[in-house]
Amino acid sequence: MIQTIKNRWEITQNWQFIHVILGLIATFFSAYLITRGILKSITIQNDTLKLVAISLGTLLVGYLLLKITFWLFKKLYSRWGVTHRWQLIAMFLVFAVTGSTAGKISNPLMEFIGLTKETTNGWIYWPVRILLIFPIYQVLLVIFGWIFGQYNFFKEFAIKMASRMGFGFLFKK
């Protein structure tokens, strides 16, 4: 069975298998969080019934997330020019970790410059936060890309994204 998984994901070295494991963990953890969020709006008094609902919901949402992910893999495999399927999992993980980290880092930075949601108008708070997150995201994207073995892809991706947003002059040689 392990060899079948290795062949399907084009894993040539055992360390690459970690991407498949992390991808499954991230997918089903996300499914759990989504299910828990949905079930918060439904009052279930019985703890056993609540556990069954969360378990079944997590499996169902996890299955749906996997189907969407596999569909995306088919679309992005040739578009992103990857040579092995496991690289797509690594790339998805980089995007997830980078986005979460940039979002978490931006809260204390916003407070440091004196802007909080409670004291600042939303028309000021959100544009400033987005402008603050953008450079953080770009740097983190390359760092996490390097950690997950996809440095070249994410360096080019960050440059392309910055260029499309009008910051291409920063990367001219």
Side-chain angles (χ1 to χ4, degrees):
M1 180 170 152
I2 297 290
Q3 192 57 43
T4 305
I5 293 170
K6 283 183 171 183
N7 291 341
R8 179 175 182 158
W9 290 100
E10 300 170 343
I11 294 173
T12 57
Q13 298 177 11
N14 287 336
W15 67 268
Q16 297 164 343
F17 197 67
I18 191 72
H19 295 100
V20 175
I21 293 168
L22 288 174
L24 286 171
I25 289 170
T27 300
F28 281 97
F29 183 65
S30 297
Y32 166 74
L33 293 176
I34 291 168
T35 301
R36 204 176 78 189
I38 292 169
L39 290 178
K40 276 186 180 179
S41 64
I42 302 170
T43 305
I44 302 174
Q45 299 298 332
N46 186 331
D47 287 340
T48 304
L49 187 57
K50 187 182 264 186
L51 180 63
V52 169
I54 288 176
S55 299
L56 290 175
T58 299
L59 289 174
L60 177 65
V61 172
Y63 174 77
L64 292 172
L65 289 175
L66 283 174
K67 291 298 262 184
I68 292 167
T69 302
F70 292 146
W71 177 79
L72 285 170
F73 282 179
K74 287 179 187 175
K75 298 285 183 191
L76 297 174
Y77 187 79
S78 59
R79 183 176 182 181
W80 284 354
V82 296
T83 55
H84 298 91
R85 287 188 180 104
W86 64 266
Q87 290 175 300
L88 287 168
I89 298 172
M91 291 172 178
F92 277 31
L93 289 170
V94 169
F95 282 120
V97 171
T98 301
S100 299
T101 305
K104 290 290 184 187
I105 289 174
S106 68
N107 278 338
L109 286 175
M110 290 294 286
E111 289 176 11
F112 178 74
I113 62 174
L115 299 175
T116 63
K117 275 203 256 186
E118 293 79 25
T119 61
T120 309
N121 183 309
W123 291 100
I124 295 170
Y125 179 83
W126 288 107
V128 170
R129 183 172 173 154
I130 290 168
L131 288 172
L132 183 65
I133 288 175
F134 181 72
I136 294 169
Y137 184 83
Q138 297 298 310
V139 171
L140 289 175
L141 198 61
V142 176
I143 291 170
F144 286 122
W146 174 75
I147 290 171
F148 280 84
Q150 302 300 314
Y151 173 78
N152 290 331
F153 174 82
F154 283 102
K155 183 183 91 174
E156 294 301 319
F157 188 90
I159 290 171
K160 186 191 286 185
M161 185 189 311
S163 296
R164 287 183 177 169
M165 297 182 95
F167 297 105
F169 65 92
L170 295 172
F171 303 103
K172 298 281 184 198
K173 293 180 184 178

